[in-house]
Structure formats: C-alpha cells, structure tokens
C-alpha cells in the first residue's frame, strides 16, 4: 500500500492525506500507509493545539525519518453521521444526524479539505506542491517534529503561500555507533517560488537533541543565512548534520529550518539518528537434519537496558542479523514441520555487549511427553506456554496444540540465567 501511494502520487499528481494512527503516545507508532514518503501524514491536536494523547508519532522505525508531516484538529470533532453505522451506534448522534468522535481519522479530513481549497485556488498544482504548501505554512504549536511534523495546518497561511520547499522533510538517516569516525552529511533544501515576484528569505535552524535540549553548536548548519528565490524559479541551500558533535548524548536529533520573507514563513524539518551503543545480533538457523533452515519464526525483545527494542523474523532466511541497542534480550524461536510436529527454542537472557552470533539449532530440542494413570484416556488438546522477564519487562508466548506428540523444546544459553524470572507451563486435556 505504501508503494502504491508513492507510485500514484508520482505518476498522477494525486495527494494522499493519511491518518498517522491512534497508537500514541509512544515513539515509532506511525503505521502504514502513513509511513509512505509521499503521503501527507496527519496527527491530531485539540482546539487548543494540545497534542492528542492517542496521536501516533515518529520516528519511522527503519530510518529514523520524520512522520507525521503535520497535525490538524482531531479531538471531539463533529461530522455528518451515516445512520445505522457502527460509529453512530457506538457513540450516538448528538444532535441527530451528527456524531462527535476523536482520532487521527478526524484530523486527516481537515488536511484534505485544506488541500482542496488550495487546489481550487491553484488548479495546476500537483499533489506534491499542495503538500509542500501545507507543510511550509503550518504553524509551530510547540511540539517536537516527531509529534507535529512542521506544525498544525494553517489554511489561512497556505492560501497566501508562494514559496515552498521541494522536500518537506530532510532525513540524514542513521549514523552507527561509535561516532568517532562519523563524517558530516550534507543535503540540500531547494526553495521554489511559485509566484511572480522574487523573494528573499532569511534562514535559521533550530536543532534539538534526544533529551529535548538544544543541539550543540555546529551539529546542524546551513550553508547561508539568506537566499533569493527568483520568480518561477528555485534556489538551493546546503544543510549539514555533523554527528561527531554530541559527546555521549546519543539518539534522535531533530531540526526545524525556518525561512522567512515577503510576509511568508517556510518550515522544513530534519532528523538524524545518532545511534546509541548498538551491536549486530546474528541468528543462524539449523533444522533437525543439521542443515540450514529457512522456516523458523523468531521474536526477540529487550528485557533490560536503556532501549526497548523488539524484533520479529518471519522466516525465509537461514541467517538473519539485527542491529540492536546494548542490553539483555529474550529470544523465542519456533519451527513448524509439514508433519504437524513443532520445535520451540528459548534463550531467556542474552547479554548483548558485542557483535554476537547465536545458533538456533533444532537438533538440541528434546521431546515432551505427558501421561495419566488411565490407559483408556487419550489426549485431545494441549498447550505450551512460557514467560521470561527481568523486573517489569518480559515476553510471553502460548502455543495451542492438538497433542504433545511431536512437540520438542530446548533452552539456549546458560541453564540458570541470573536475575531472570522464567516460567514454563505445559497443559493437556484428556478424554476417555
């Protein structure tokens, strides 16, 4: 769906306004297709421009890029009701014919309506220009760029906007730890003048570190503090992020580039992930036959340390590598066979303090048997559950089986991992 949004935007000039999602307030909670680069992704604020607690926020998991692009009103919003709809039945109509609900699905239509007004004013504008005008003219209402993008849409500003930035956000990607050998990365911001008069813009950059404090001097720099954009033309400004600066303060750094001139403001956001202490964890999968196996399903989660990493490998590879923050991890790998048999391997505490390889070997598993005194009874259902945790952080899994025949399990790592709460439960139902 993300690929389709990007494709149609490029080929047809359509603007997709997409809800950011209601999975907030945690970071990295923007869902698909709001994570599509071309989409105008919209978070929610209330009538006082306070960010809605449920509004999903960035950064995007893969590259640390900024989403949402903007916010719009989405709390207690009243709209026409479809009589008999699930929403109308759930919340009731008040007054008749209308419902009032909250969600980024109520914020996105505000952005779509603003885009429609701009399209009416400028029929030849592409979806990309509409998005550029709405993001450039958005009002900063005091939230981080991962919460609000460039700000809350301001259609009164947008309809007078003649200067935009071709890229509404600049992603400097992720710089791997350690940072002593990092190299400054320079991108370009291209300003486009859609009007009939040249415009001179004064430029400033406001950088923010991962703890919400101003970024160190020199972390984000612009190649100039003033640029003139000719009528109907463009002008380009170099923009640099230098992640060598920052000492031990690692994490997501963000910036807002503010260009002002001719009564207009053009806002552009930027982000770079100055990676926290992290290492490669490689999992090599081996089947019962001793050969590389592509069918393992694996989930791992950080159960101690500064991060909160969680990863899933759905299979299809005999070797997979995750880049993860330093800390302790629990690993759960399962392998289903065409015969109906299954294997389960659990590593309750892997201390990731360097690049590490773990062999997930099904040959280590052992069969599980269970019996009752009555020889006439037969097993009709079974289950295998476990939980692993340190303090309040844990992972759990339950597998429902028709029988324990063919179920094999093994523990990876030390037999008695220190400081781990480990629970393993086997269940069975018998009938005669």
């Amino acid at each position: 769906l993300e690929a389709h949004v990007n494709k149609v935007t490029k080929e047809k000039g359509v603007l997709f306004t997409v809800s950011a999602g209601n999975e907030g307030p945690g970071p990295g909670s923007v869902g698909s297709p709001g994570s599509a680069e071309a989409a105008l992704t919209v978070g929610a604020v209330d009538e006082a421009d306070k960010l809605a607690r449920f509004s999903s926020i960035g950064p995007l998991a893969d590259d640390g890029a900024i989403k949402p692009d903007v916010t719009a009103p989405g709390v207690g919003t009243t709209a026409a009701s479809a009589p008999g709809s699930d929403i109308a039945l759930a919340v009731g109509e008040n007054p008749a014919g209308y419902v009032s609900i909250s969600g980024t699905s109520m914020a996105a239509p505000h952005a779509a309506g603003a885009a429609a007004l701009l399209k009416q004013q400028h029929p030849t504008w592409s979806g990309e220009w509409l998005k550029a005008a709405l993001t450039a003219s958005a009002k900063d209402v005091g939230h981080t760029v991962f919460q609000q993008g460039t700000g809350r849409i301001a259609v009164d500003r947008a309809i007078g906007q003649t200067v935009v930035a071709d890229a509404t956000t600049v992603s400097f990607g992720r710089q791997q730890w350690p940072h002593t050998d990092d190299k400054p990365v320079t991108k370009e911001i291209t300003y486009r003048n859609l009007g009939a008069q040249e415009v001179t813009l004064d430029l400033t950059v406001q950088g923010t570190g991962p703890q919400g404090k101003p970024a160190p001097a020199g972390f984000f720099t612009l190649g100039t503090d003033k640029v003139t954009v000719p009528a109907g033309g463009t002008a380009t400004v170099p923009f640099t992020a230098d992640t060598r600066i920052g000492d031990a303060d690692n994490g997501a750094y963000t910036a807002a580039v503010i260009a002002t001139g001719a009564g207009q403001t053009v806002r552009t956001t930027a982000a770079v992930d100055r990676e926290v202490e992290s290492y490669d964890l490689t999992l090599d999968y081996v089947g019962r036959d001793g050969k590389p196996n592509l069918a393992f399903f694996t989930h791992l989660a950080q159960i101690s340390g500064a991060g909160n990493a969680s990863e899933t490998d759905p299979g299809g590879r005999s070797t997979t590598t995750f880049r993860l923050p330093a800390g302790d991890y629990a690993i759960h790998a399962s392998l289903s066979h065409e015969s109906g048999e299954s294997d389960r391997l659990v590593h309750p505490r892997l201390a990731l303090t360097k690049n590490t390889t773990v062999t997930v070997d099904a040959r280590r598993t052992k069969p599980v048997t269970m019996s009752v005194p009555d020889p006439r009874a037969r097993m009709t259902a079974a289950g295998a559950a476990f939980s692993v945790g340190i303090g309040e952080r844990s992972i759990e899994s339950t597998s429902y089986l028709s029988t324990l025949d063919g179920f094999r399990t093994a523990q990876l790592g030390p037999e008695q991992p220190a400081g781990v709460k480990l629970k393993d439960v086997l269940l069975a139902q018998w009938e005669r």
Side-chain angles (χ1 to χ4, degrees), residues 170-173 175 182-189 218-224 236-244 270-272:
V170 177
S171 177
F172 290 100
Q175 292 286 337
D182 286 358
K183 293 180 173 57
V185 178
T186 298
K187 299 289 184 80
E188 291 183 337
I189 300 176
F219 194 99
F220 292 108
T221 55
L222 293 166
T224 182
T236 299
V237 176
F239 182 27
T240 301
D242 187 351
T243 52
R244 295 173 301 179
V272 60

Side-chain angles (χ1 to χ4, degrees), residues 79-85 87-100:
S81 171
S85 68
I87 292 176
L89 293 174
V91 303
E93 294 185 349
N94 185 22
Y98 294 88
V99 292
S100 296

Side-chain angles (χ1 to χ4, degrees), residues 14 51 101 104 117 159 180 185 206 220 232 266 284 294 322 353 367 387 409 415:
V14 174
L51 187 74
I101 58 176
T104 55
L117 291 175
I159 59 177
T180 53
V185 178
Q206 299 173 352
F220 292 108
V266 183
D284 289 333
L294 282 65
F322 299 105
T353 57
S387 66
T409 187
E415 184 176 342

Side-chain angles (χ1 to χ4, degrees), residues 162-177:
T162 60
V163 182
V164 299
D166 278 2
T168 59
T169 185
V170 177
S171 177
F172 290 100
R174 177 175 288 125
Q175 292 286 337
Q176 281 198 356
W177 181 90

Side-chain angles (χ1 to χ4, degrees), residues 12 36 133 140 162 184 189 228 309 314 328 405:
K12 304 297 183 182
D140 178 14
T162 60
I189 300 176
T228 298
D328 292 316
D405 293 341

Side-chain angles (χ1 to χ4, degrees), residues 331-406:
I331 304 172
H332 169 221
S334 59
L335 176 62
S336 298
H337 301 267
E338 292 183 0
S339 63
E341 298 184 350
S342 61
D343 303 321
R344 184 192 70 182
L345 296 99
V346 176
H347 195 311
R349 185 172 190 174
L350 173 71
L352 190 64
T353 57
K354 60 183 180 179
N355 292 340
T356 302
T357 298
V358 173
T359 300
V360 182
D361 192 342
R363 293 174 299 178
R364 299 184 58 177
T365 60
K366 296 180 180 180
V368 174
T369 61
M370 186 182 294
S371 61
V372 294
D374 191 338
R376 296 171 295 175
R378 62 184 182 89
M379 189 182 299
T380 57
F386 78 90
S387 66
V388 177
I390 297 176
E392 300 299 320
R393 301 166 69 176
S394 65
I395 66 171
E396 302 86 21
S397 178
T398 301
S399 300
Y400 296 99
L401 311 166
S402 58
T403 175
L404 290 176
D405 293 341

Side-chain angles (χ1 to χ4, degrees), residues 142-147 206-216 220 246 249-255 272:
H143 307 301
T144 71
V145 298
F146 289 135
Q147 294 171 326
Q206 299 173 352
T208 303
Q211 307 304 320
K213 299 178 181 178
F220 292 108
D249 201 6
N250 297 319
Y253 283 76
T254 61
V272 60

Side-chain angles (χ1 to χ4, degrees), residues 59 208 232 325 402 407 421 429:
T208 303
S402 58
F407 174 72
K421 294 183 293 184
Q429 177 176 295

